[in-house]
């Protein structure tokens, strides 16, 4: 054990009387000085000196061991911080993290300036040396830089304020998309409650997610590893059709996490693709109870918790086929429940207009899960090759947007019009992607997918770089190029 002992020297004459400045006739305060920093003894009579030994209780004089790293830096650390080596190391680690974050933001700004500089150079090249046109291009460039900087600064502050862990509840999260969402939230440093009807499935999923989290902690470094240290996963069995179970789920989440920031109603079921006449009474009851009644009960319980929280919270209901009112032949019951959720969303937006609770929708599109594949035909699977995605891929896109949602009434979609267009254009390439001509699955099992997915997740790619970069800054760069193009075309009188 390291012991630091200080010896205090006080000269008696400086305690009895103070020295006065002959010119100003004002008293001078006693001064604490450390020997070795150009001080001299006796002028102000009071200084501090480190002792090399101390006397123990049994009267034996013992040598005091100096701390590691003695010298000027250690003395400077003691004078400036007055902390132990471990506290000093933690302080330095925090400073390093702050400087690293600042460096990243400066790098983003430099990339923005370089991007706009390219646009500026192209504008000058196309202007043909016209001084008036060059002036207009300069003004548009300067305006774009200012606007982009303001937007980027706002986004940086917003990301900083929202960097802390979220407390997330996900129903139906022991398989498929729900489990993928839970895993993605965990690897983002959040605390997650998984829920499903089967206690055995909940326990198995919690153990599996804890293993994924531990692997993430091993491979991560720096700030991401610090975030993962705060991540946590717990689970409870819950039948969303039963009000008592839903209330129990909410109380469990509050007791385990302290509050609920995000609640995702992901639990859903379907009984295959077939005409309504072939659905049994039990099939209809289960679909309506799980998809519609369960979502209503969970939404109500989440609102009860979040309305009493200082920062409120956000509720997400999962969209699906038929939510927009379109027909869903062979899945009429499922489609009607999703259409009912859209009506629920519209009603709650007006009820919660002045509330701290945000009500949103998340649309994952078509995901390769048991819910989608149950009862599907070979023709269905050939279409799935073109438009479907794996749960891990969809969760990787949805979770970052769900984590930073603000306000209410947001719609977070995976299958956006550009993605649909891209899928249709590349349909000939996507044939046989998931299923062969006989409908047999070609994609890897979940365990193998996760292994490859975890490896790819740690690699830095151009896609990750674009996701890390502030989206609004890219918008400002693009807008600037449009402004420059408009000025050039309008000035030259081109009819292109």
């Amino acid at each position: 054990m390291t012991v630091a002992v200080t010896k205090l020297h006080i000269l008696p004459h400086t305690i009895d009387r103070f020295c006065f400045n002959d010119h100003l006739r004002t008293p001078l305060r006693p001064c604490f000085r450390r020997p070795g920093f150009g001080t001299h003894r006796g002028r102000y009579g009071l200084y501090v000196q480190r002792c090399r030994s101390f006397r123990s209780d049994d009267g034996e004089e013992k040598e005091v061991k100096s701390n590691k790293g003695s010298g000027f830096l250690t003395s400077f650390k003691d004078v400036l911080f007055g902390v132990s080596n471990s506290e000093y190391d933690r302080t330095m680690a925090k400073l390093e993290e702050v400087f690293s974050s600042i460096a990243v933001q400066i790098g983003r700004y430099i990339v923005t300036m370089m991007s706009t500089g390219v646009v500026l150079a192209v504008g000058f090249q196309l202007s043909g040396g016209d001084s008036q046109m060059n002036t207009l291009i300069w003004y548009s460039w300067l305006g774009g830089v200012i606007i982009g900087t303001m937007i980027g600064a706002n986004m940086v502050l917003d990301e900083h304020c929202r960097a802390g862990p979220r407390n997330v509840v996900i129903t139906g999260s022991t398989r498929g998309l729900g489990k993928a969402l839970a895993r993605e939230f965990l690897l983002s440093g959040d605390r997650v409650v998984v829920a499903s009807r089967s206690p055995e499935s909940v326990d198995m999923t919690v153990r599996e997610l804890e293993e994924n989290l531990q692997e993430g902690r091993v491979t991560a470094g720096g700030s991401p590893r610090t975030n993962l240290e705060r991540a946590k996963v717990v689970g409870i069995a819950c039948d969303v059709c039963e009000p008592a179970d839903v209330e129990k789920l909410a109380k469990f989440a509050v007791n385990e996490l302290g509050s609920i920031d995000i609640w995702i109603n992901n639990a859903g079921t379907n009984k295959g693709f077939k005409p309504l006449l072939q659905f049994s009474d039990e099939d209809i009851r289960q679909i309506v109870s799980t998809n519609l009644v369960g979502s209503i009960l969970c939404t109500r319980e989440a609102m009860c918790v979040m309305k009493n929280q200082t920062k409120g919270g956000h509720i997400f209901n999962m969209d699906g086929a038929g939510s927009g009112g379109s027909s869903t032949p062979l899945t009429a019951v499922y489609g009607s429940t999703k259409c009912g959720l859209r009506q629920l969303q519209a009603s709650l937006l007006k009820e919660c207009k002045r509330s701290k609770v945000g009500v949103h929708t998340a649309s994952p599109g078509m995901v390769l899960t048991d819910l989608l594949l149950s009862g599907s035909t070979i023709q269905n699977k050939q279409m799935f090759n073109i438009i479907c995605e794996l749960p891990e891929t969809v969760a990787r896109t949805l979770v970052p947007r769900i984590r930073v949602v603000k306000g209410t009434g947001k719609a977070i979609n995976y299958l956006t019009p550009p993605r649909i267009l891209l899928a249709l254009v590349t349909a000939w390439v996507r044939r046989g992607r998931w299923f062969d001509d006989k409908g047999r699955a070609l994609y890897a099992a979940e365990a193998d997918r996760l292994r490859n997915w975890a490896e790819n997740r740690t690699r830095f790619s151009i896609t990750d770089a674009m996701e890390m970069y502030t989206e609004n800054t890219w918008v400002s760069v693009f807008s600037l190029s449009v402004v420059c193009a408009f000025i050039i075309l309008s000035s030259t009188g081109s009819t292109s």
Side-chain angles (χ1 to χ4, degrees), residues 194-244:
V194 297
S196 181
R197 292 178 180 176
S198 170
E200 293 79 12
S201 297
V202 171
D203 294 339
M204 185 182 304
T205 302
V206 169
R207 289 195 298 269
E208 181 181 337
L209 293 177
E210 285 178 341
E211 292 176 0
N212 297 149
L213 179 60
Q214 186 60 32
E215 293 172 359
R217 287 171 176 165
V218 172
T219 57
S223 179
R225 185 170 185 175
T226 303
N227 292 336
L228 292 182
E229 293 298 331
R230 299 177 294 184
K232 174 184 179 181
V233 57
V234 292
I236 183 175
C238 175
D239 185 350
V240 296
C241 306
E242 299 295 333

Side-chain angles (χ1 to χ4, degrees), residues 408-440:
T408 188
K410 305 296 183 182
I412 299 179
N413 304 323
Y414 175 81
L415 201 57
T416 56
R419 278 198 173 95
I420 296 175
L421 180 61
L422 178 63
L424 295 177
V425 171
T426 59
W428 61 279
V429 179
R430 294 172 175 247
R431 291 177 181 175
R433 189 166 60 137
W434 310 126
F435 303 94
D436 61 15
D437 294 336
K438 297 182 180 180
R440 293 175 296 194

Side-chain angles (χ1 to χ4, degrees), residues 324-368:
S326 59
S327 62
T328 55
L330 304 183
T331 56
V333 183
Y334 177 87
S336 63
T337 60
K338 293 302 179 181
C339 187
L341 285 179
R342 181 63 65 90
Q343 200 281 337
L344 173 68
Q345 167 79 1
S347 300
L348 293 180
L349 285 180
K350 294 186 177 181
E351 290 185 11
C352 304
K353 183 177 294 185
R354 298 183 180 179
S355 171
K356 296 179 292 185
V357 181
V359 183
H360 317 273
T361 60
S363 179
M366 304 187 74
V367 188
L368 288 173

Side-chain angles (χ1 to χ4, degrees), residues 290-465:
T290 304
N291 297 0
L292 185 56
V293 177
S295 296
I296 293 175
L297 293 175
C298 289
T299 299
R300 183 186 65 179
E301 199 62 41
M303 291 174 65
C304 289
V305 174
M306 294 176 179
K307 71 176 184 179
N308 297 320
Q309 297 179 165
T310 303
K311 55 184 178 180
H314 298 276
I315 304 170
F316 285 86
N317 286 307
M318 282 294 178
D319 259 355
S323 60
S326 59
S327 62
T328 55
L330 304 183
T331 56
V333 183
Y334 177 87
S336 63
T337 60
K338 293 302 179 181
C339 187
L341 285 179
R342 181 63 65 90
Q343 200 281 337
L344 173 68
Q345 167 79 1
S347 300
L348 293 180
L349 285 180
K350 294 186 177 181
E351 290 185 11
C352 304
K353 183 177 294 185
R354 298 183 180 179
S355 171
K356 296 179 292 185
V357 181
V359 183
H360 317 273
T361 60
S363 179
M366 304 187 74
V367 188
L368 288 173
T369 61
D370 295 339
L371 177 65
L372 179 68
L373 299 178
S374 60
S376 59
T377 64
I378 295 180
Q379 290 76 14
N380 296 142
K381 292 179 179 179
Q382 297 307 315
M383 186 264 293
F384 295 163
N385 281 330
I386 300 174
I387 208 72
C388 282
E389 292 294 344
L390 295 170
E392 299 80 28
T393 303
V394 176
R396 182 75 184 273
T397 299
L398 294 182
V399 167
R401 289 158 176 77
I402 292 176
R403 294 184 76 249
V404 297
V405 71
K406 296 186 291 185
T408 188
K410 305 296 183 182
I412 299 179
N413 304 323
Y414 175 81
L415 201 57
T416 56
R419 278 198 173 95
I420 296 175
L421 180 61
L422 178 63
L424 295 177
V425 171
T426 59
W428 61 279
V429 179
R430 294 172 175 247
R431 291 177 181 175
R433 189 166 60 137
W434 310 126
F435 303 94
D436 61 15
D437 294 336
K438 297 182 180 180
R440 293 175 296 194
L442 300 177
Y443 54 92
E446 184 183 32
D448 296 329
R449 296 202 314 263
L450 288 179
R451 191 177 300 110
N452 297 331
W453 172 81
E455 293 175 358
N456 293 334
R457 197 176 191 277
T458 59
R459 296 173 185 168
F460 190 82
S461 63
I462 185 64
T463 306
D464 296 327

Side-chain angles (χ1 to χ4, degrees), residues 109 112-117 120 138-152 473 476-477 480:
Y109 187 79
T112 304
M113 296 294 292
M114 291 175 63
S115 302
T116 56
L120 189 65
W138 268 113
Y139 281 129
S140 66
W141 178 83
L142 181 60
V145 169
I146 294 174
I147 294 173
T149 303
M150 293 172 63
I151 295 175
T473 307
S476 67
V477 173
L480 174 60

